[in-house]
Amino acid sequence: MSLDGLTSGEAARARPNVVPRRSSRSLGAIVRANVLTLFNLVIGVLWALILIFGEWQDGAFGLIMVANVLIGVIQELRAKRALDRLAVVGESPVTVRRDGAERRLPPHQVVLGDLVVLGPGDALPVDGEVVAADGLEVDESLLTGESDPVRKEPGDPVLSGSFAVAGTGLFRATAVGVDAYAARLAEEASRFHLARSELRDGVARFIRYITWLVIPIGALLTYSQLNNSADFATAITGAVAGIVTMIPEGLVLTTSIAFAVGVVRLARHRCLVQELPAVEGLARVDVLCLDKTGTLTAGGMTVDRVLPLREGRPVGDALASLTAADSHPNATARAIADRFPAPGWRPLATVPFSSERKWSGADFGPHGVWLLGAPDVLLDPSAPECAQAAELSATGARVLALCRTDRLPDPGAPVNARADRLPDADLPADARTDRLQDAVLPADARTGARAGSPGLVGDVEPVALVTLDQRVRPDARETLAYFARQGVALKIISGDDPRSVSAIAAGLGVPGADRAVDARTLPEDEKALGLALDAATVFGRVSPRQKRLFVTALRGRGHTVAMTGDGVNDVLALKEADLGIAMGAGSPATKAVAQVVLLDNRFAALPHVVNEGRRVLANIERVAGLFLTKTFYAIVLSLTTGVAGMMFPFTPRHSTLVNAVTIGLPALFLALAPTLERARPGFVPRVLRLAVPAGVISACAVLLAFVAADGGTLEESRTAAVLALFLTTWWVLVLVARPLNRWRVTLVAAMAGLFALALATPYVRRLFELTLGDPRDGLIAIGIALVASAVISAVVKVAGTLRA
């Protein structure tokens, strides 16, 4: 089979890899989702009834419905444009071979029959069949759940959704677009939606309950209004007022707007949010797992020193040849190649580097078999060279051992079979196996800790130690300090030597960095591992499999875990975490599974990510209290007037006025306001502890004011009821807006001013059918509202819903 790939003409005629973009939905879908809702149907029918039987002023709530739809569509289109632009920037190009030359193309330009080039970290964009392989190992865990890489040979099938972890290869695309395996599996999940979450579940639960209540209560209210009034139009108007007020139509809209605005705001910081519900997940994070390389340190590094351990060995030729034998070198190999650029040996066989093995090697025939990797994996733990490497690692440098051996090891064989356990000399005092169980693990978890890592079979001769400088990101210290202030626990994990990780973390001021733990000493039992993870901060020699176990164990302890990473060895943990955050310069595999991608690789963008999530969640909880207070007072009023057979105490136009100044307008400001409040579980109970008593007490105040003004006309009695309703719900707004800083005081004062202006302006009074009768009725309504507000304050304070 030719390895030149397709010709340009063949590629132009072939089927392209077109897959619906995961980040957004079409304009038609956005419009349908915002227009064709149950609430819009109910409100539309009620609006039509008012327009037929009532006066147009009472149909103002219909205009609010139209405005809500327009706002929802516009905000989501803004988010769609932001997501689509960033998604294009964040797409990882694919290397294909056409006309005998390699080309870098966006994934959608790969076509059926293309010859795709694979290297470590490359995600497979389409299905195919391997046509050439050199130590190619593919991780199919995202498809099969099995974490062990699968070695691929020519003729073996490969599936989209997997990724290369070691070696190189070529495969022919046999299925593209929606026919590819991963696309078929993800068809349902790829549709634009807000995934399951406490916030969305809580809102959906409210909506479901209210929908069932509206039907019987609305029927009862309509019957009572018809029986109580000879005027059919007045009866319909009163019934519509009660039913419309029960519907929290703005709650769903405000939630969607808050999510969409969150996405747009993060886009300004070059953060690609690939799934909108990730915005909520940001707020709940209380543990952040940081991969050191590429996150705390910049991607590049330089060779600092080469320390020969044996005289007369060709160290430079061996290093140059080893790095040249890797067709897809990582950052370490590139740094060594920059220092030793002239390879002279031809490899007969190679074993590519992998994060699991932590070494690479090649057989150079007459020049011998050479290995390059972690000293504590390649060297005898009792050898003086291993102790020397440990001292170098303690300075924060990355240390590699160059070794010569008699045969190339099997890449699938276990490593370090000579060592039964890591000796005390090979670990810092606080991380030794025997002391780890005493100092880090509680008594009930001091069992099952594994001894150290196994090593290579055969005689290995240490030839040289290579140290590399790692550049710490300039924004790392400030960002870590931010998370410490916010109460987010940090777990710094790395495949490097614990001493090196400890030195870098200590230099950044991470608490507990001097007590780094070698992950090979940790227990595999999830409960014991979770206890150990809670007790320490810095971990070295963590395998890719362990990274996922770390996330699982922390989640098992009740934590909400975010994981950052950039390498292929981080993919499993990113997928397992509550929130996966990938660096834009990371491997395509990490960006494919992460919910958030930091396109500019700025670690300092993470505080913006967390702040945005907290803002959305805390503010939606605030406005939910406002909307559901309205729902509960409407339910109580509808039931009371329906059972008692009395007129409803206000009309739709009254409800429109009060809701606009106590809920609608302030909710938009509160939902988008900055806040640093920590997210807490129990969203539904907290909202109900405010909304139920506030709604019931407000309804009682309205009924008392309405009955007390019974001596006047129906319009005068309703005006007194509206005054009592405004004052009590305005006080609920004050409570919800706490803590009252300058702009929030301005907001609630402005809403009171708008209502006062409506009462003082003759035209507005006539428009909203407000009739000022006996002044005593107004004073009684004010007195009732003041008492009701005091009772609401006392009740919600006891319930613990006031924010300090």
Side-chain angles (χ1 to χ4, degrees), residues 564-588:
T564 70
D566 69 335
V568 69
N569 60 323
D570 302 319
V571 169
L572 299 179
L574 287 172
K575 187 70 176 177
E576 187 69 26
D578 295 289
L579 182 69
I581 303 172
M583 293 294 179
S587 72

Side-chain angles (χ1 to χ4, degrees), residues 134-339:
D134 181 11
L136 179 64
E137 297 178 22
V138 174
D139 190 315
E140 299 177 340
S141 60
L142 302 183
L143 305 176
T144 66
E146 296 294 334
S147 59
D148 294 333
V150 179
R151 194 172 182 88
K152 296 292 184 179
E153 302 293 344
D156 290 343
V158 288
L159 299 175
S160 54
S162 53
F163 52 93
V165 293
T168 59
L170 297 170
F171 76 92
R172 185 87 57 186
T174 59
V176 299
V178 294
D179 293 334
Y181 183 75
R184 295 198 307 272
L185 285 181
E187 182 179 1
E188 191 66 30
S190 296
R191 294 176 185 169
F192 182 101
H193 67 287
L194 292 175
R196 187 179 185 278
S197 68
E198 183 181 356
L199 176 61
R200 295 294 299 182
D201 285 351
V203 173
R205 197 179 313 162
F206 292 139
I207 293 171
R208 186 166 59 251
Y209 293 159
I210 292 164
T211 301
W212 286 107
L213 286 173
V214 162
I215 298 173
I217 295 176
L220 174 64
L221 182 61
T222 303
Y223 176 79
S224 71
Q225 297 302 290
L226 290 172
N227 279 347
N228 198 53
S229 176
D231 185 351
F232 183 80
T234 302
I236 291 296
T237 300
V240 169
I243 297 172
V244 168
T245 310
M246 279 190 283
I247 301 173
E249 70 278 1
L251 180 55
V252 178
L253 172 77
T254 306
T255 303
S256 299
I257 289 176
F259 275 118
V261 171
V263 169
V264 173
R265 284 180 171 177
L266 289 176
R268 294 172 185 159
H269 296 287
R270 303 284 292 166
C271 297
L272 170 59
V273 180
Q274 304 200 91
E275 299 174 6
L276 286 188
V279 175
E280 178 186 348
L282 305 174
R284 303 191 184 280
V285 169
D286 61 355
V287 174
L288 176 61
C289 295
L290 299 168
D291 179 61
K292 176 185 69 68
T293 306
T295 303
L296 296 182
T297 60
M301 57 186 72
T302 57
V303 174
D304 180 28
R305 289 187 292 172
V306 177
L307 306 175
L309 302 175
R310 300 288 187 274
E311 295 294 335
R313 297 290 189 268
V315 173
D317 288 340
L319 289 172
S321 301
L322 276 170
T323 54
D326 190 347
S327 58
H328 285 73
N330 56 20
T332 302
R334 287 194 295 270
I336 296 175
D338 290 341
R339 177 74 174 269

Side-chain angles (χ1 to χ4, degrees), residues 508-723:
L508 293 172
V510 176
D514 58 328
R515 299 187 300 276
V517 175
D518 191 308
R520 295 169 297 182
T521 66
L522 293 174
E524 290 191 338
D525 174 72
E526 183 177 311
K527 181 179 179 181
L529 178 60
L531 291 170
L533 293 172
D534 269 345
T537 301
V538 179
F539 303 87
R541 288 293 179 241
V542 183
S543 69
R545 182 184 64 86
Q546 277 186 306
K547 289 184 179 182
R548 181 168 67 169
L549 292 176
F550 278 23
V551 172
T552 303
L554 287 167
R555 293 182 66 191
R557 297 274 294 169
H559 295 295
T560 301
V561 182
M563 172 74 192
T564 70
D566 69 335
V568 69
N569 60 323
D570 302 319
V571 169
L572 299 179
L574 287 172
K575 187 70 176 177
E576 187 69 26
D578 295 289
L579 182 69
I581 303 172
M583 293 294 179
S587 72
T590 59
K591 290 185 284 186
V593 301
Q595 287 87 23
V596 177
V597 180
L598 306 181
L599 292 173
D600 286 345
N601 305 299
R602 291 180 60 247
F603 183 50
L606 282 180
H608 297 292
V609 173
V610 174
N611 285 344
E612 195 58 40
R614 291 183 173 181
R615 182 194 63 77
V616 169
L617 205 60
N619 290 338
I620 290 302
E621 184 173 321
R622 289 179 187 274
V623 300
L626 289 177
F627 282 107
L628 293 174
T629 295
K630 174 178 78 89
T631 295
F632 282 107
Y633 76 63
I635 290 173
V636 173
L637 289 175
S638 299
L639 283 173
T640 303
T641 55
V643 172
M646 57 189 293
M647 291 300 297
F648 200 77
F650 51 80
T651 65
R653 71 184 75 181
H654 297 146
S655 177
T656 298
L657 173 63
V658 174
N659 292 341
V661 296
T662 61
I663 300 174
L665 291 175
L668 283 176
F669 289 98
L670 291 174
L672 304 179
T675 181
L676 295 179
E677 292 182 47
R678 285 282 304 275
R680 297 170 293 161
F683 163 72
V684 173
R686 279 197 306 276
V687 171
L688 290 180
R689 283 197 296 268
L690 169 68
V692 173
V696 172
I697 296 168
S698 296
C700 293
V702 170
L703 289 171
L704 288 174
F706 183 69
V707 172
D710 195 40
T713 64
L714 177 62
E715 290 75 15
E716 291 172 349
S717 298
R718 281 178 164 171
T719 300
V722 168
L723 180 59

